[in-house]
Amino acid sequence: MTSEALVCPSCAEPHPSDERFCRVCKMPLVYSGSLELDEPVSERHERARKIDPRYTEGDLVRVAGAMNQAEAEFVQGLLLEEGIPSTLRRTRGFDVPDMLAAGPRDVMVPASGHGAAREVLLEAEIVGEDPAADETRPSRVLAVLLAVLACGALIVWLGTELST
Ligand SMILES: [Zn+2]
C-alpha cells in the first residue's frame, strides 16, 4: 500500500497534508494511494484541463454548504464544469468521526473563483439562503442608514447652533 501523501494529479509533485492545491499547477491535490488505483491518467488529465487558471488564485473561501459528502461532490462537479477547482471541508461545529461520510461539508474555492462559483450555484439553485453571503447586505443597508441619520442629526444641530 502506498503512503497517504498528497500529490498533484497533473504533475505528481508531492505536497504536505495541509496543502489543498498544487503549488505549481494549482490542481486540487489527491492522495497518492487513490491516484494509482482510482482512474486512468487520461481521465485525470481531462479533469486538469477543465480547470480555469483564473479561478485558482487566493485563499480558500467557503462558497456553499452541503448536507453530506455526496451532495458536496455533486456541487464540486458542477463547479468543475465551469473550470472552478474546489475542495471540501467538514463544517465546523459538527463533530462526526472523520471516516463517516455523513455530516455537513463546506465547499471551498479559491478566492478568485468565488464570484463565478456563486453564479454557477445560484443558477443551479444550490445557494441562495447561504447565511455568510446574505448577511452582508442588510448590515450594509443599516450602515448607510446610520450614516444618513448621523448627517441629519448634524445638520439639525448646526442649524440650531447657527440660529442662536
Ligand atoms: Zn502540479
Side-chain angles (χ1 to χ4, degrees):
M1 200 67 202
T2 46
S3 75
E4 286 287 82
L6 286 170
V7 294
C8 172
S10 180
C11 69
E13 178 78 17
H15 288 73
S17 58
D18 58 338
E19 300 273 343
R20 287 296 172 265
F21 294 93
C22 176
R23 289 188 218 98
V24 183
C25 26
K26 311 288 189 183
M27 278 289 295
L29 299 171
V30 299
Y31 288 107
S32 58
S34 62
L35 185 66
E36 272 148 76
L37 300 171
D38 271 11
E39 47 186 351
V41 173
S42 60
E43 276 180 38
R44 292 201 307 273
H45 282 171
E46 182 63 27
R47 200 167 52 182
R49 217 159 45 78
K50 283 183 181 171
I51 289 176
D52 189 325
R54 287 176 303 159
Y55 297 147
T56 60
E57 302 296 323
D59 291 334
L60 289 176
V61 291
R62 182 182 178 278
V63 72
M67 293 303 290
N68 53 47
Q69 180 75 24
E71 195 180 303
E73 283 174 4
F74 174 73
V75 171
Q76 288 195 288
L78 283 178
L79 295 176
L80 186 61
E81 284 304 310
E82 301 303 319
I84 307 159
S86 60
T87 186
L88 300 180
R89 193 170 285 178
R90 232 159 237 294
T91 302
R92 246 178 277 242
F94 289 87
D95 283 327
V96 185
D98 245 17
M99 58 281 229
L100 292 187
R105 301 289 194 283
D106 289 332
V107 181
M108 314 291 290
V109 297
S112 69
H114 186 263
R118 284 287 299 176
E119 266 173 49
V120 171
L121 298 180
L122 277 172
E123 210 154 288
E125 295 180 355
I126 285 173
V127 292
E129 16 61 272
D130 186 355
D134 290 341
E135 80 199 8
T136 54
R137 256 173 272 145
S139 64
R140 199 172 302 156
V141 169
L142 191 65
V144 170
L145 201 66
L146 284 173
V148 168
L149 285 175
C151 282
L154 188 66
I155 288 163
V156 169
W157 176 79
L158 278 175
T160 50
E161 279 293 292
L162 291 172
S163 63
T164 52

